Amino acid sequence: MVLRAFIADSPMRATLKATMNFNARYGCLKCTCVGTTIQVGPNKKKIILDSIDAPPRTNVGFRQRDDKAHHKEWCSPLEAIDDFDMVEGMPVSDRLHLLDEGIFQKILVGFLNNTFELLGHIYPRQKEVVSAYIIKIKLPYEIPRRIRSLDEIAQWKATEYRIFFHYLSVVILEDFYQYEGSFNHFLMLFSAITIFSSRAHQQYWSLAKIMLDEFLRHFGKYYGRSNITSNVHNLQHVAHEVEKLGPLDLYSAYDYENDLRFIKQDVKSGTNIVEQVAGRLTERSQVVKAKNIAKLIYPRLRPNGRFFITEDFSLHTQFQNQ
């Protein structure tokens, strides 16, 4: 068994590797870029990561502490794992945190809060119209969660941002990108992430990399230089990690997020929490589950009218599923 990668959000990745935090000047886990400190208010400063194509970090360089400013004083226990790559083994392009709750959330909430001075703004009346449109839309069976109105955006889950981005954004946001060329700039992000989300588009992965680099290169022009956060900077590392680990959904945190409720159910008191979880997981792993050995034949029609071409692909007479 080989340990390929740890899937975690930005603060946890820095903790696991014993490095500077993600928003520090030397915080990037993938390249040796140095953050720039800018003034964003009368008494407020901010570090942005606007460097592109900085030299990449390597496993050897990490273990030898080539960039001392990147490391904490103590060493991560992960360095004791044989053959574990301290750079490649900690991907930053987990789509849940980098994209759905990162870039996509930043863009949509930015429009609502008038964060981007050069772009348009969704005014209250427009917000009502868009919300009514979103609620009215019926999505296919494959998308179980319905999007709530923009009034409830503070409670949106990552999957709602994901659905909005992939299925609704190019229809709804076009009217709000008022600055010349800004919507085409957004379409580069939309196209690149769509391509990187499926192996069916693998022949275009090199093109998607160019799109993301171009999106990042002009991000400050449209959204403001102060918004070039670590999430935005990490877009330039997506292509390399997709080449190494596969399409974005193959190594996202969604699977682990879905299991959190089971872990919470295993904790019955505030003491010995780890032991409680470990004990319940061990018990669950020893349960023998009955398996259905009957082999289903496709295509097949279910009583509810859903027609399965294969196990994973079906058609239905309802409009949104045709």
Side-chain angles (χ1 to χ4, degrees):
M1 183 179 292
V2 177
L3 179 60
R4 292 185 68 200
F6 280 89
I7 309 301
D9 60 10
S10 296
M12 181 53 66
R13 286 194 294 263
T15 300
L16 290 171
K17 292 185 64 173
T19 61
M20 294 295 109
N21 206 8
F22 65 95
N23 55 359
R25 292 190 67 205
Y26 299 87
C28 183
L29 300 181
K30 295 295 177 178
C31 68
T32 55
C33 73
V34 180
T36 304
T37 303
I38 62 172
Q39 198 82 28
V40 293
N43 300 306
K44 188 177 180 181
K45 294 182 179 180
K46 183 179 183 179
I47 293 177
I48 62 170
L49 300 172
D50 57 350
S51 175
I52 299 176
D53 297 329
R57 299 191 187 279
T58 64
N59 182 48
V60 174
F62 183 94
R63 292 174 182 273
Q64 293 179 351
R65 302 293 191 274
D66 287 350
D67 185 2
K68 291 182 173 55
H70 178 60
H71 296 267
K72 295 284 182 64
E73 295 179 357
W74 52 279
C75 292
S76 168
L78 299 182
E79 295 186 49
I81 301 177
D82 294 337
D83 300 325
F84 179 68
D85 194 311
M86 293 296 295
V87 177
E88 301 286 356
M90 201 71 67
V92 298
S93 53
D94 158 40
R95 76 160 298 148
L96 187 150
H97 296 105
L98 177 69
L99 300 170
D100 301 339
E101 285 189 343
I103 305 294
F104 305 160
Q105 183 186 58
K106 186 181 188 69
I107 290 176
L108 182 54
V109 173
F111 270 115
L112 294 173
N113 295 338
N114 200 20
T115 302
F116 314 124
E117 296 179 2
L118 293 178
L119 301 181
H121 177 55
I122 301 179
Y123 294 98
R125 176 56 186 156
Q126 294 171 316
K127 185 177 177 181
E128 292 176 10
V129 174
V130 171
S131 293
Y133 177 73
I134 290 175
I135 295 172
K136 183 180 178 181
I137 287 177
K138 293 183 178 180
L139 297 167
Y141 270 142
E142 289 78 10
I143 307 170
R145 179 182 287 277
R146 298 191 66 176
I147 304 181
R148 288 169 284 184
S149 76
L150 295 179
D151 291 326
E152 300 178 77
I153 198 167
Q155 286 78 44
W156 274 26
K157 300 292 187 181
T159 50
E160 291 174 273
Y161 286 106
R162 174 194 177 107
I163 294 168
F164 182 91
F165 175 79
H166 279 296
Y167 299 98
L168 307 178
S169 63
V170 293
V171 177
I172 293 175
L173 294 183
E174 182 177 9
D175 294 334
F176 302 103
Y177 276 99
Q178 298 175 359
Y179 193 79
E180 183 179 359
S182 58
F183 184 63
N184 286 337
H185 178 257
F186 170 78
L187 288 180
M188 285 191 287
L189 173 68
F190 173 84
S191 301
I193 298 306
T194 301
I195 291 171
F196 280 138
S197 295
S198 171
R199 204 176 285 280
H201 305 312
Q202 189 167 357
Q203 58 181 318
Y204 302 114
W205 282 0
S206 58
L207 176 61
K209 180 186 185 312
I210 296 174
M211 290 180 181
L212 281 188
D213 287 345
E214 195 69 11
F215 177 82
L216 179 56
R217 190 168 283 111
H218 297 285
F219 184 89
K221 171 183 175 182
Y222 297 109
Y223 298 93
R225 189 164 175 253
S226 63
N227 288 307
I228 307 179
T229 58
S230 64
N231 274 340
V232 176
H233 168 83
N234 282 334
L235 286 174
Q236 65 184 296
H237 304 307
V238 171
H240 176 75
E241 294 186 342
V242 168
E243 288 286 350
K244 289 281 186 181
L245 300 171
L248 291 168
D249 288 323
L250 284 185
Y251 59 97
S252 80
Y254 274 107
D255 289 340
Y256 311 109
E257 292 281 327
N258 293 337
D259 283 337
L260 285 179
R261 64 188 180 95
F262 297 111
I263 295 177
K264 290 179 180 178
Q265 291 170 0
D266 292 336
V267 178
K268 304 302 181 183
S269 68
T271 57
N272 300 324
I273 294 176
V274 175
E275 289 83 349
Q276 292 181 61
V277 174
R280 300 299 82 74
L281 291 177
T282 301
E283 293 170 359
R284 199 173 293 136
S285 67
Q286 295 172 352
V287 174
V288 178
K289 298 181 181 178
K291 294 183 179 180
N292 185 1
I293 59 175
K295 188 175 182 179
L296 299 178
I297 300 175
Y298 295 96
R300 60 193 299 263
L301 180 66
R302 284 189 176 177
N304 64 358
R306 194 170 175 183
F307 183 61
F308 279 80
I309 308 299
T310 66
E311 182 181 0
D312 300 320
F313 177 61
S314 65
L315 301 175
H316 198 277
T317 55
Q318 289 180 343
F319 173 76
Q320 70 268 29
N321 293 300
Q322 291 177 1

